[in-house]
Amino acid sequence: MNLEPQFSRDKRIDDERLMRTAIKIMNDALETGNGDPFGAVIAKEGQVISSSGTTVLQDNDPTGHAEINAIRKACKALGTWDLSDCVLYTSCQCCPMCYSASYWAKLKAIYYGCSWLDYCDCAPEAPLIKEDIGKPANQASIPQIQLLQREASIAWDKFRNYKKPRSV
């Protein structure tokens, strides 16, 4: 049984073209040795708004995933944090951080090439992070300790009464 969504032939061709761009970025990283093999493209109405590979090693930045980089570039290019008219094409299924960023950016859809199962032997942390996020804060691998909750909540109380439109 085919579980893939059924779209028009033209849309499917467009989606495949954009995914191939993400896969090319992935393969270029392997060939040049400029990082891990991940690539991402943000498109709006079939047009590339941004694209990126992973820059974790070059920038010494653990948030430099291809998807995060592409989202940042798209937001800058469009002058907004709201990417609800955009689609993410990524060479591999999003990690929890990249999925969360996609969620906050309100992306319309995420298309991915490889699933976690296709590459978890090369990135063994990915499934462990996904599992760890589901644990109660006091059982997570990185201790999460609530501190000064009342004091920190004052800003949220003020925010609730603030009339300016929300940023996220």
Side-chain angles (χ1 to χ4, degrees):
M1 181 161 132
N2 183 1
L3 299 177
E4 291 187 33
Q6 298 302 307
F7 297 110
S8 72
R9 180 168 158 64
D10 289 344
K11 171 133 178 44
R12 182 67 178 210
I13 290 169
D14 241 11
D15 289 336
E16 289 176 358
R17 174 182 57 84
L18 293 161
M19 179 60 76
R20 283 189 179 100
T21 302
I23 292 168
K24 181 181 182 326
I25 295 166
M26 173 191 197
N27 286 318
D28 288 350
L30 280 176
E31 290 174 19
T32 62
N34 285 336
D36 292 331
F38 295 93
V41 172
I42 303 279
K44 182 176 180 177
E45 297 173 5
Q47 300 300 311
V48 174
I49 303 299
S50 69
S51 63
S52 185
T54 297
T55 59
V56 171
L57 300 176
Q58 297 96 308
D59 296 343
N60 290 316
D61 177 1
T63 68
H65 291 202
E67 299 90 337
I68 299 290
N69 293 338
I71 289 169
R72 287 177 178 152
K73 288 179 178 180
C75 289
K76 189 170 186 172
L78 296 174
T80 182
W81 61 269
D82 184 346
L83 302 179
S84 57
D85 291 335
C86 298
V87 175
L88 170 63
Y89 297 85
T90 178
S91 58
C92 298
Q93 189 174 11
C94 290
C95 73
M97 176 182 69
C98 294
Y99 179 81
S100 295
S102 299
Y103 184 91
W104 286 112
K106 300 184 180 220
L107 287 166
K108 181 170 22 179
I110 300 170
Y111 289 86
Y112 63 92
C114 296
S115 75
W116 284 27
L117 294 176
D118 294 322
Y119 71 93
C120 68
D121 61 317
C122 297
E125 302 88 357
L128 299 175
I129 293 167
K130 184 178 178 183
E131 180 183 319
D132 204 45
I133 286 173
K135 293 179 181 177
N138 64 349
Q139 294 175 15
S141 295
I142 299 173
Q144 299 180 62
I145 303 139
Q146 191 170 23
L147 185 64
L148 299 176
Q149 186 268 339
R150 279 192 205 161
E151 204 171 309
S153 294
I154 293 169
W156 285 110
D157 292 339
K158 289 177 185 176
F159 181 79
R160 286 181 186 91
N161 296 316
Y162 195 59
K163 299 298 178 193
K164 186 176 179 182
R166 235 178 116 193
S167 61
V168 180

